[in-house]
Amino acid sequence: MFKSVLCDMIGIKYPIIQGGMAWIADSSLASAVSNAGGLGVIAGANAPVEYVREEIRKTKELTDKPFGVNIMLMSSNADELAKLVCEEGVKVVTTGAGNPGKYIDMWKAHGIIVIPVVPSVALAKRMERTGADAVVAEGGESGGHVGELTTMALVPQVVDAVNIPVIAAGGIGDGRGVAAAFMLGAEGVQVGTRFLVADECTVHENYKQKVLSAGDIDTVVTGRPTGHPVRVLRNKLVRQFQLLEKNGAPLEEYDNLGRGALPKAVKEGDVDYGSVMAGQIAGLINKKQSCKEIIEEMFTEAEAVYKKFL
Ligand code: TUI
């Protein structure tokens, strides 16, 4: 029932895109989401180009379904990754943390479906004018780099402002969230945090346990003074960031504290001094499942909650 133009555009069964979580979204997670009928996405992030090329090739071996690559525009090798997706014949590109305008013509010339993540109406309109096929309207409930608006306020405003499909993100972790997103006018959802605890997600077990045990108020946004605010789960690193803010520390001290913090949590499992990026919906997530179980459960639930009001 919750089929949409997004399913036809990309060739997927369920209108769900997996968030391109930096250091986390690899071929294992992306292929599992795609095999389950969603759109799996490999994170480019700051990874070396040859690593991302390998992950793309592995994903092609693990699934015959469409998948995407996320390009984090703040990364130093965004230019190289932008070319890589063309060379490797990737079907869908999502972007984050910036304006991908300068790459869109090249991607369209290679037949790539382009879906930028946007935090505002202004950027959504600019993306539509530049040739994007759809946009992800991401509210500040999401994990990682966040904008200012909430999903509830952002999604309907973006829906009214553009004529391309809008995918809602931020705070969506179950079927109620999916149904709500569609009621706001979205044609699909992007989900990150719930996939962190998927069986096929290779993030460190300590990271999964931290998400599973999180409550509603356990995430916090750090790094506002840097202009790159990031939502993470509270820990000792967060307290250090908060001290910097309180003392009005120079921006380089934020850089020093944040350097290497995400892989420290993702790969080494240091959830005290590493950066444990997760969305506000972490408090709702309390069981491990396969990607297939997660997606099927979310859409069965969405249909049930929608039917209740008919
Ligand atoms: O990109 C994300 N989420 C991310 S990226 C990331 S990696 C990272 N690591 C350390 C510090 C910062 C990032 C972790 N999570 N979500 C999509 C998103 N994009 N949210 C907000 C935006 C955004 C913000 C400003 C998109 C465009 C934008 O435009 C500014 C401009 O140039 O117009």
mmCIF file of all heavy atoms in Angstrom, residues 225-226 241 244 248-259:
data_model
loop_
_atom_site.group_PDB
_atom_site.id
_atom_site.type_symbol
_atom_site.label_atom_id
_atom_site.label_comp_id
_atom_site.label_asym_id
_atom_site.label_seq_id
_atom_site.Cartn_x
_atom_site.Cartn_y
_atom_site.Cartn_z
ATOM 1 N N PRO A 225 29.055 25.690 17.651
ATOM 2 C CA PRO A 225 29.910 26.833 17.289
ATOM 3 C C PRO A 225 30.746 26.597 16.016
ATOM 4 O O PRO A 225 31.186 27.545 15.390
ATOM 5 C CB PRO A 225 30.825 26.989 18.512
ATOM 6 C CG PRO A 225 30.049 26.383 19.631
ATOM 7 C CD PRO A 225 29.312 25.234 19.023
ATOM 8 N N THR A 226 30.955 25.343 15.630
ATOM 9 C CA THR A 226 31.781 25.068 14.442
ATOM 10 C C THR A 226 30.994 25.270 13.149
ATOM 11 O O THR A 226 31.563 25.265 12.063
ATOM 12 C CB THR A 226 32.283 23.605 14.435
ATOM 13 O OG1 THR A 226 31.123 22.746 14.290
ATOM 14 C CG2 THR A 226 33.021 23.242 15.709
ATOM 15 N N PHE A 241 33.031 18.099 24.842
ATOM 16 C CA PHE A 241 32.559 19.105 23.872
ATOM 17 C C PHE A 241 31.769 20.200 24.585
ATOM 18 O O PHE A 241 31.897 21.385 24.282
ATOM 19 C CB PHE A 241 31.681 18.456 22.790
ATOM 20 C CG PHE A 241 32.464 17.970 21.590
ATOM 21 C CD1 PHE A 241 32.541 16.623 21.283
ATOM 22 C CD2 PHE A 241 33.119 18.869 20.753
ATOM 23 C CE1 PHE A 241 33.258 16.175 20.178
ATOM 24 C CE2 PHE A 241 33.828 18.436 19.645
ATOM 25 C CZ PHE A 241 33.903 17.085 19.367
ATOM 26 N N LEU A 244 33.999 22.693 26.155
ATOM 27 C CA LEU A 244 34.549 23.639 25.173
ATOM 28 C C LEU A 244 33.544 24.753 24.907
ATOM 29 O O LEU A 244 33.900 25.927 24.847
ATOM 30 C CB LEU A 244 34.882 22.938 23.853
ATOM 31 C CG LEU A 244 35.997 21.894 23.828
ATOM 32 C CD1 LEU A 244 36.278 21.462 22.392
ATOM 33 C CD2 LEU A 244 37.278 22.441 24.457
ATOM 34 N N GLY A 248 33.853 28.791 25.686
ATOM 35 C CA GLY A 248 34.078 29.575 24.463
ATOM 36 C C GLY A 248 35.418 29.263 23.819
ATOM 37 O O GLY A 248 36.135 30.159 23.367
ATOM 38 N N ALA A 249 35.765 27.981 23.794
ATOM 39 C CA ALA A 249 37.081 27.564 23.289
ATOM 40 C C ALA A 249 37.225 27.872 21.792
ATOM 41 O O ALA A 249 36.230 27.927 21.068
ATOM 42 C CB ALA A 249 37.247 26.055 23.515
ATOM 43 N N PRO A 250 38.473 28.057 21.317
ATOM 44 C CA PRO A 250 38.685 28.289 19.885
ATOM 45 C C PRO A 250 38.287 27.062 19.056
ATOM 46 O O PRO A 250 38.349 25.927 19.554
ATOM 47 C CB PRO A 250 40.191 28.541 19.774
ATOM 48 C CG PRO A 250 40.785 28.125 21.061
ATOM 49 C CD PRO A 250 39.716 28.097 22.099
ATOM 50 N N LEU A 251 37.893 27.308 17.804
ATOM 51 C CA LEU A 251 37.332 26.226 16.978
ATOM 52 C C LEU A 251 38.305 25.072 16.767
ATOM 53 O O LEU A 251 37.895 23.923 16.610
ATOM 54 C CB LEU A 251 36.865 26.787 15.630
ATOM 55 C CG LEU A 251 35.706 27.783 15.706
ATOM 56 C CD1 LEU A 251 35.220 28.172 14.320
ATOM 57 C CD2 LEU A 251 34.540 27.225 16.524
ATOM 58 N N GLU A 252 39.619 25.369 16.765
ATOM 59 C CA GLU A 252 40.576 24.277 16.518
ATOM 60 C C GLU A 252 40.516 23.217 17.611
ATOM 61 O O GLU A 252 40.843 22.059 17.381
ATOM 62 C CB GLU A 252 42.003 24.820 16.329
ATOM 63 C CG GLU A 252 42.610 25.375 17.598
ATOM 64 C CD GLU A 252 43.644 26.460 17.296
ATOM 65 O OE1 GLU A 252 43.298 27.440 16.629
ATOM 66 O OE2 GLU A 252 44.788 26.294 17.743
ATOM 67 N N GLU A 253 40.075 23.634 18.821
ATOM 68 C CA GLU A 253 39.959 22.638 19.903
ATOM 69 C C GLU A 253 38.826 21.639 19.634
ATOM 70 O O GLU A 253 38.907 20.481 20.020
ATOM 71 C CB GLU A 253 39.766 23.325 21.252
ATOM 72 C CG GLU A 253 41.025 24.038 21.711
ATOM 73 C CD GLU A 253 40.997 24.432 23.176
ATOM 74 O OE1 GLU A 253 40.301 23.768 23.959
ATOM 75 O OE2 GLU A 253 41.680 25.425 23.510
ATOM 76 N N TYR A 254 37.782 22.113 18.925
ATOM 77 C CA TYR A 254 36.707 21.193 18.519
ATOM 78 C C TYR A 254 37.252 20.201 17.486
ATOM 79 O O TYR A 254 36.958 19.009 17.526
ATOM 80 C CB TYR A 254 35.540 21.961 17.892
ATOM 81 C CG TYR A 254 34.724 22.787 18.865
ATOM 82 C CD1 TYR A 254 35.134 24.054 19.241
ATOM 83 C CD2 TYR A 254 33.537 22.284 19.384
ATOM 84 C CE1 TYR A 254 34.383 24.815 20.116
ATOM 85 C CE2 TYR A 254 32.770 23.038 20.258
ATOM 86 C CZ TYR A 254 33.204 24.304 20.620
ATOM 87 O OH TYR A 254 32.444 25.055 21.485
ATOM 88 N N ASP A 255 38.046 20.731 16.564
ATOM 89 C CA ASP A 255 38.632 19.864 15.520
ATOM 90 C C ASP A 255 39.493 18.785 16.164
ATOM 91 O O ASP A 255 39.415 17.608 15.814
ATOM 92 C CB ASP A 255 39.510 20.684 14.560
ATOM 93 C CG ASP A 255 38.662 21.515 13.617
ATOM 94 O OD1 ASP A 255 37.439 21.269 13.564
ATOM 95 O OD2 ASP A 255 39.217 22.421 12.959
ATOM 96 N N ASN A 256 40.328 19.206 17.127
ATOM 97 C CA ASN A 256 41.228 18.249 17.779
ATOM 98 C C ASN A 256 40.451 17.163 18.509
ATOM 99 O O ASN A 256 40.788 15.984 18.424
ATOM 100 C CB ASN A 256 42.143 18.973 18.771
ATOM 101 C CG ASN A 256 43.111 19.898 18.061
ATOM 102 O OD1 ASN A 256 43.381 19.720 16.858
ATOM 103 N ND2 ASN A 256 43.626 20.893 18.769
ATOM 104 N N LEU A 257 39.385 17.571 19.195
ATOM 105 C CA LEU A 257 38.596 16.611 19.974
ATOM 106 C C LEU A 257 37.803 15.676 19.054
ATOM 107 O O LEU A 257 37.639 14.490 19.335
ATOM 108 C CB LEU A 257 37.634 17.397 20.883
ATOM 109 C CG LEU A 257 36.983 16.675 22.046
ATOM 110 C CD1 LEU A 257 38.041 16.019 22.938
ATOM 111 C CD2 LEU A 257 36.161 17.671 22.875
ATOM 112 N N GLY A 258 37.351 16.214 17.929
ATOM 113 C CA GLY A 258 36.494 15.430 17.041
ATOM 114 C C GLY A 258 37.266 14.534 16.081
ATOM 115 O O GLY A 258 36.712 13.567 15.546
ATOM 116 N N ARG A 259 38.574 14.820 15.886
ATOM 117 C CA ARG A 259 39.346 14.080 14.888
ATOM 118 C C ARG A 259 39.410 12.591 15.231
ATOM 119 O O ARG A 259 39.801 12.207 16.325
ATOM 120 C CB ARG A 259 40.768 14.656 14.775
ATOM 121 C CG ARG A 259 41.492 14.184 13.553
ATOM 122 C CD ARG A 259 42.772 14.983 13.278
ATOM 123 N NE ARG A 259 42.513 16.415 13.149
ATOM 124 C CZ ARG A 259 43.057 17.365 13.924
ATOM 125 N NH1 ARG A 259 43.885 17.043 14.877
ATOM 126 N NH2 ARG A 259 42.763 18.639 13.738
#
